[in-house]
Each structure stands twice: as C-alpha cells, then as structure tokens.
C-alpha cells in the first residue's frame, strides 16, 4: 500500500461524488426510481394484495431497499466500466497514485450513495405509513430484519449471519482485486 493511499482515495472519492452530483440521470435512477416504484406499488397495486390488518408498505419496503442497493451497485459498476474504457485508469497509472485508490474511491462512492438513497427511501416509507413493531432503527439492523421476517428472537444467529457477510466480502474483495490487477497490468 502506498503512503499516499488515503489522500489519493479521498481525492478520487471527491471526483466520483462530483460525477454523481452533476448527473441527473444517476440521481433519478438511484434515489427517485425506488421511491417512484414504492409509490406505484402502494397506491396503484396496493389494493390488489390483501395483507390483513398490516400496512402494505411493511411488506414492500424490504424489496424496495434491495432494489435501491442493487441500483447503487450497478451504477458503481457502470462508472468503473466507463473509467476503464475511457482510459482514466491508464492516466492514473502514469501518476504517482496508489494503484488501488481508484477502485476504493468507487467502492466508497457506492457506499455513500447507497446510504443516502436508503435514508431517503426509508423516510418516504415512514411518511407513507411504514410502522414496524421492532422500531425503525432496530428494523434497519440485521437482527431487526430477521425479527421483521420471522418475528422470532435473533439469539446467536446474528453472528453466523455476520460471519457469512464478512466471508462473502473477503471473497468478493479478492476477486475484485484480482480482476482489477489483471485489467490495469
């Protein structure tokens, strides 16, 4: 790791965030489309599905949140593809920057964009009547999601779930760095 890794990553993160701020289609795709889909499913199709006494938003929100995360990840992959095809990776290679800082800047951009989109979607869901018996903050945690789906105490299963998440993250990181190294070599 280069001694300039954190500085290089910060500068490139700012570059990626400026791209997002200047791209109206990105904002629409990653933040407004999930909200539009939620509004459509609740107000257009919501009466077609009987959920008993519970609000339809309570059933819809987990899927919309997954769509929001997936669109953020897809956007990041697209931006990475454009940077690689546009030659910006080669340009950064000729500069004294940390080799992995370009990739990490895209990853951090995805995390920031997804966090903002998720907050906006959850706020709209709260305005539409989302009410979890576990409370919103507990619902948003991993254990809260399990409780939401199964209505059972989480117990030690949370550590197994978190272990799987960390394991998948490590394997994905290995594959990503391997592919990145092959592309920029």
């Amino acid at each position: 790791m280069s001694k300039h890794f954190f500085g290089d990553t910060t500068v490139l993160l700012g570059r990626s965030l400026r791209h997002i701020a200047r791209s109206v289609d990105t904002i629409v795709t990653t933040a407004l489309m999930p909200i539009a889909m939620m509004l459509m499913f609740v107000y257009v199709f919501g009466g077609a599905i009987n959920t008993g006494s519970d609000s339809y938003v309570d059933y819809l929100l987990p899927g919309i949140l997954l769509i929001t995360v997936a669109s953020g990840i897809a956007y990041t992959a697209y931006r990475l593809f454009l940077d690689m095809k546009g030659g910006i990776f080669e340009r950064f290679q000729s500069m004294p920057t940390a080799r992995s800082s370009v990739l990490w800047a895209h990853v951090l951009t995805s995390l920031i964009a997804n966090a903002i989109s998720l907050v906006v979607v959850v706020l709209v869901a709260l305005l539409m009547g989302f009410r979890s018996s576990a409370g919103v903050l507990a619902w948003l945690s991993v254990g809260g999601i399990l409780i939401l789906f199964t209505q059972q105490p989480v117990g030690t299963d949370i550590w197994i779930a978190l272990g799987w998440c960390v394991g998948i993250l490590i394997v994905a990181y290995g594959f990503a760095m391997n592919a990145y190294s092959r592309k920029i070599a």
Side-chain angles (χ1 to χ4, degrees), residues 36-78:
M37 288 175 59
M38 187 165 45
L39 292 172
M40 180 186 69
F41 278 109
V42 169
Y43 293 115
V44 176
F45 302 127
I49 298 173
N50 182 11
T51 60
S53 62
D54 294 332
S55 171
Y56 183 59
V57 179
D58 294 351
Y59 292 99
L60 182 66
L61 189 59
I64 295 297
L65 291 177
L66 287 175
I67 290 170
T68 304
V69 170
S71 68
I73 291 169
Y75 172 75
T76 301
Y78 176 68

Side-chain angles (χ1 to χ4, degrees), residues 63-163:
I64 295 297
L65 291 177
L66 287 175
I67 290 170
T68 304
V69 170
S71 68
I73 291 169
Y75 172 75
T76 301
Y78 176 68
R79 290 293 315 164
L80 220 87
F81 170 77
L82 287 179
D83 280 355
M84 291 183 93
K85 290 298 178 191
I88 195 75
F89 275 66
E90 287 82 11
R91 178 183 258 173
F92 289 139
Q93 290 288 316
S94 68
M95 302 167 82
T97 59
R99 294 175 82 75
S100 63
S101 62
V102 180
L103 184 61
W104 275 108
H106 281 291
V107 169
L108 292 174
T109 303
S110 178
L111 291 174
I112 292 170
N114 276 333
I116 291 170
S117 296
L118 287 173
V119 167
V120 170
V121 169
V122 168
L123 288 176
V124 170
L126 287 172
L127 292 173
M128 292 173 56
F130 170 71
R131 301 291 181 262
S132 171
S133 61
V136 176
L137 293 178
W139 184 86
L140 288 175
S141 69
V142 174
I145 292 173
L146 292 173
I147 291 169
L148 177 70
F149 288 136
T150 64
Q151 295 297 318
Q152 301 294 323
V154 177
T156 60
D157 291 343
I158 189 135
W159 298 112
I160 295 170
L162 289 175

Side-chain angles (χ1 to χ4, degrees), residues 20-33:
I20 289 175
R22 294 176 184 160
S23 176
V24 176
D25 61 328
T26 300
I27 295 169
V28 168
T29 302
T30 59
L32 298 180
M33 272 308 280

